[in-house]
Amino acid sequence: MADQATLVENPDPSLDKEDQTIPKPHQLRAGASDAEHADSPLATLGQARKNFLLLIFSIATFVDICNVSGVAIAVAQISSDIKLDTTQVVWIITAYSLCFAAFLLFAGRLSDLFPAQIVFEAGFFILGILSLVTSFVTSSKYGFLILRGLGGIAGAMTIPSAYHLTVHMFPKPEEQQAKLALLGLAGAVGNVLGLVLAGVCMLANYRWFFRVIAIICVLFTVICFFLLPYTGSTYSSEGQGPRWKRLDIIGVFLMIGALICFILALTQGPIDGWGSASFIAPFVLSFPLAVGFFFWESRIPPKSAVLPSSVWQITNVVISTLAIGIPFPFWATSQILYSTYFQEVFHWSPIHTAAAMVPQGVTGLFIGALGQFVPQIITKPRISLPIGGVLIMVAEILQIYSDGGHGKDYWKYCFPAFILGSAGAVMCYFAAAINLITYCPPEMAGVAGAWTQVVTQVAGAITLAVQASFEGDGLDWHLAGRRSFWFVFAWTAVLVLQYVVFYKTPGTPEEEHEATRKRIADKGIDEGVL
């Protein structure tokens, strides 16, 4: 025993001095305590390095959302170049967002099972290369749309891995919540400032939007490669068999099939009609696929599931999941409708339109920064989420009566609506998504981060489909605007109400991690996802 202890304490004498100074990666056991996480290789990095890495993760999140919102302002020029029919224009946006949503859970699984830094860097770099190629493929609509879809898959790899790395770099609960809030804020800001970036790029040509995205992706991937040390996979898999056998391929295909069919149906319904085969067939098919997915996930061991049944043991997970559907519908419906209306009815330029939407982005940044100094915005979700929901509902009423922002109505209705609604959306996101990730055990961070984004995408698809159905053949504000904003008002009210009624006051994050693991053990479910 003494000899064994000596071997552990003293480095191999065959190693030179330089090798001995390099920190050796070590893996955590599944279900490791919070104290063990605080001593992991990522947690012991220098504070300046961790903060810069967080900036890179935030930029990746910004780029992913920007790839949807920014393109929305350029669809007219793009569709003209690649010769898309009117009914096919929506696929310029949907090709990316659909593939992005469909592969998120699989990417989350990869991030928890394999080295998350490799998943992140590969996804970010590939997205940059695909964006560059996309900027030159403007003569083939099929090539353009396929590249957009592949870009969505690459983008999906960066989100869960960024959450996984952030959770393990900042294991202290208070600091972790603040850093996760900044990561989430980057997506919210990208949702608005993507319009500005696209508007600026379109002063030259929309192709420069994709080229700027490519430069950002490749540059920060290279920086990340040098700053983020290779630590291997975070957790040990001793006795669990090869990791690739636990990727849950059947579950992945069922989930991808359900999401693709559901979003495809909601995309085609407003175009071809709600009674058309292009809506009915995928819509009907999405339900047995979804039921099959959840049934399959409940029958296999959590350590082999892409969405482990153990996830549902996290405190407030169901109501938080539903509440995550509050923020994005506000941004999506207001941005798409106003940016289209400003350009088609007012004949504003793209940069003018983008400037009109800037208050949403500036407000998001302000609330995100405020959350760093007033942590109760994040740590008191029982209070902050209802306040955020009320702000969104007030904003919806202002938008209903804005009449599209004609004349002084922009400053009277739209401007305050953008500020109030964006503030409320950020608060709701912090309360729902950040707390869900914070209170889940760290070994589930990748899956939890992916799940929050899946819910966001589905909520956006539903509300945008409803909005599109109100538009009909023309852009009548009284039909499209008022009805869709009343729908989002009701949508927000219901989701806020369920959260307030069913919310259970949790303990500290450390207590909740252990409580979740205990509930998992009591139900006879394998602990964790690894």
Side-chain angles (χ1 to χ4, degrees):
M1 291 296 292
D3 291 338
Q4 290 178 358
T6 301
L7 288 174
V8 172
E9 293 173 2
N10 297 321
D12 188 336
S14 66
L15 297 176
D16 60 34
K17 184 176 181 180
E18 181 180 359
D19 288 338
Q20 292 178 20
T21 62
I22 300 174
K24 298 296 183 276
H26 69 271
Q27 294 175 304
L28 296 165
R29 61 181 177 84
S33 67
D34 283 30
E36 290 174 288
H37 281 97
D39 192 41
S40 72
L42 290 173
T44 53
L45 292 175
Q47 191 66 30
R49 179 185 286 199
K50 289 196 287 187
N51 286 336
F52 197 88
L53 286 169
L54 178 66
L55 173 64
I56 295 175
F57 302 155
S58 299
I59 290 171
T61 305
F62 173 90
V63 165
D64 285 327
I65 306 303
C66 188
N67 250 312
V68 177
S69 64
V71 170
I73 206 170
V75 291
Q77 289 189 20
I78 295 174
S79 61
S80 175
D81 265 13
I82 64 178
K83 298 177 176 59
L84 283 178
D85 296 335
T86 303
T87 58
Q88 298 173 324
V89 170
V90 68
W91 284 103
I92 295 173
I93 298 173
T94 306
Y96 184 94
S97 59
L98 191 152
C99 292
F100 178 78
F103 279 86
L104 275 168
L105 279 176
F106 182 59
R109 187 68 180 162
L110 286 175
S111 302
D112 285 336
L113 283 174
F114 297 96
Q117 59 266 53
I118 299 299
V119 177
F120 176 82
E121 290 166 357
F124 207 19
F125 182 78
I126 292 171
L127 178 58
I129 299 302
L130 289 172
S131 297
L132 181 62
V133 175
T134 301
S135 72
F136 292 100
V137 181
T138 55
S139 59
S140 168
K141 64 181 179 182
Y142 298 109
F144 183 90
L145 295 178
I146 288 172
L147 285 169
R148 285 285 288 165
L150 293 174
I153 296 174
M157 293 173 64
T158 66
I159 298 290
S161 53
Y163 277 105
H164 177 104
L165 291 165
T166 301
V167 165
H168 289 84
M169 283 198 310
F170 303 100
K172 295 180 180 179
E174 298 80 5
E175 185 181 24
Q176 184 184 107
Q177 284 183 319
K179 303 304 184 184
L180 287 172
L182 290 175
L183 193 59
L185 177 64
V189 172
N191 200 39
V192 179
L193 296 189
L195 296 170
V196 178
L197 178 61
V200 172
C201 291
M202 286 176 67
L203 293 175
N205 189 285
Y206 74 84
R207 296 179 184 86
W208 277 102
F209 173 75
F210 295 107
R211 291 166 190 169
V212 169
I213 292 294
I215 292 169
I216 292 172
C217 292
V218 173
L219 173 63
F220 283 99
T221 300
V222 172
I223 296 173
C224 185
F225 179 79
F226 288 103
L227 286 183
L228 184 60
Y230 177 76
T231 59
S233 53
T234 307
Y235 297 94
S236 171
S237 61
E238 291 183 10
Q240 299 298 325
R243 292 175 185 266
W244 66 268
K245 289 186 177 181
R246 288 181 281 135
L247 286 176
D248 187 15
I249 301 301
I250 293 177
V252 168
F253 276 109
L254 286 172
M255 171 57 83
I256 290 175
L259 284 174
I260 288 178
C261 286
F262 185 70
I263 297 176
L264 174 64
L266 294 181
T267 300
Q268 291 300 120
I271 298 172
D272 299 332
W274 299 107
S276 64
S278 61
F279 165 73
I280 294 174
F283 185 73
V284 171
L285 185 59
S286 68
F287 285 95
L289 286 172
V291 171
F293 169 75
F294 286 107
F295 177 77
W296 171 259
E297 297 300 287
S298 69
R299 304 299 297 175
I300 65 174
K303 292 184 179 181
S304 300
V306 70
L307 184 64
S309 57
S310 53
V311 166
W312 305 112
Q313 303 305 315
I314 300 170
T315 302
N316 294 322
V317 63
V318 175
I319 63 170
S320 293
T321 293
L322 293 173
I324 291 168
I326 296 173
F328 191 71
F330 166 76
W331 283 312
T333 54
S334 65
Q335 288 168 21
I336 293 294
L337 190 54
Y338 278 110
S339 62
T340 304
Y341 198 77
F342 289 162
Q343 292 183 80
E344 293 189 3
V345 178
F346 296 172
H347 304 294
W348 287 0
S349 66
I351 190 64
H352 188 179
T353 300
M357 306 301 296
V358 163
Q360 289 191 8
V362 173
T363 303
L365 281 172
F366 176 77
I367 298 299
L370 187 63
Q372 305 300 304
F373 300 99
V374 186
Q376 290 80 4
I377 294 176
I378 305 169
T379 60
K380 302 293 183 182
R382 182 70 175 273
I383 299 172
S384 60
L385 189 135
I387 292 174
V390 169
L391 290 176
I392 291 176
M393 289 186 282
V394 171
E396 297 296 347
I397 292 175
L398 289 171
Q399 292 183 137
I400 288 166
Y401 293 102
S402 70
D403 196 27
H406 287 273
K408 294 182 179 179
D409 283 345
Y410 172 83
W411 296 104
K412 187 177 180 180
Y413 295 102
C414 299
F415 184 77
F418 292 166
I419 292 176
L420 294 175
S422 194
V426 172
M427 291 176 68
C428 287
Y429 183 82
F430 284 176
I434 302 306
N435 276 281
L436 189 153
I437 296 170
T438 299
Y439 286 111
C440 81
E443 60 267 24
M444 300 181 184
V447 167
W451 181 242
T452 62
Q453 297 301 312
V454 169
V455 175
T456 294
Q457 294 296 321
V458 171
I462 293 173
T463 49
L464 284 175
V466 171
Q467 183 182 71
S469 69
F470 291 145
E471 291 181 6
D473 296 327
L475 195 56
D476 184 334
W477 185 265
H478 294 281
L479 291 176
R482 289 191 172 185
R483 292 180 180 180
S484 61
F485 292 146
W486 273 125
F487 174 79
V488 177
F489 177 94
W491 170 279
T492 303
V494 170
L495 294 181
V496 168
L497 182 62
Q498 64 86 29
Y499 191 88
V500 172
V501 171
F502 296 106
Y503 180 82
K504 295 179 180 178
T505 303
T508 65
E510 297 95 330
E511 293 170 345
E512 289 303 325
H513 296 168
E514 294 306 317
T516 298
R517 293 173 181 138
K518 185 176 185 303
R519 286 193 292 270
I520 292 170
D522 290 344
K523 285 186 172 290
I525 306 173
D526 287 342
E527 187 177 283
V529 298
L530 304 165

